Amino acid sequence: MNKQEIINIVKSKITDKIQYFENLIAETRASNNDTKSSMGDKYETGREMLQQEINNLQRQLNEVLNQQFILQKISSEPSDKVQNGALVKTNKGLFYISASLGEIIVENQKIMTVSAESPLVKAMFGKKMGDAFTINNINQNIENIW
């Protein structure tokens, strides 16, 4: 399994998300400027709602920027235990520990990208090939780590 290819896909997805949020924030700010009118309280309420939306988008953007920062520290070197940057195969699936971006497909295989903060990763963190762990009353065995 080519971990560098996985890293490149994850980096690309994060870059796309950053661009998406930056564009959305810019569009929302532009619409905020366009809503000027002489309606008094309705105008102020509308502006406040737009500002809350901008704050919400900014918070989401900051989360993605943090994921990008974490990803920059990850190496494509092989891992012998479950840690950030490890590709882990269990009897339930393939998991890449980096940023939580959902499912990606590499070499016709589904890989779930998960954050080190997720309950799944916390349950298997530090374990080695052949170890078992339980999450939500489901036993899983670690079959391989790259």
Side-chain angles (χ1 to χ4, degrees), residues 13 22 65 110:
K13 282 188 134 206
E22 286 175 342
L65 289 169
K110 292 179 185 177

Side-chain angles (χ1 to χ4, degrees), residues 3 75-89 97 124-131 142-146:
K3 276 178 60 174
S75 149
S76 62
E77 297 298 313
S79 302
D80 61 346
K81 64 180 180 178
V82 179
Q83 61 188 8
N84 251 347
L87 177 62
V88 182
K89 181 179 183 185
I97 303 165
M124 67 172 143
F125 207 84
K127 300 215 179 291
K128 297 182 183 287
M129 193 166 65
D131 288 350
I142 298 174
E143 296 175 355
N144 206 344
I145 302 174
W146 292 271

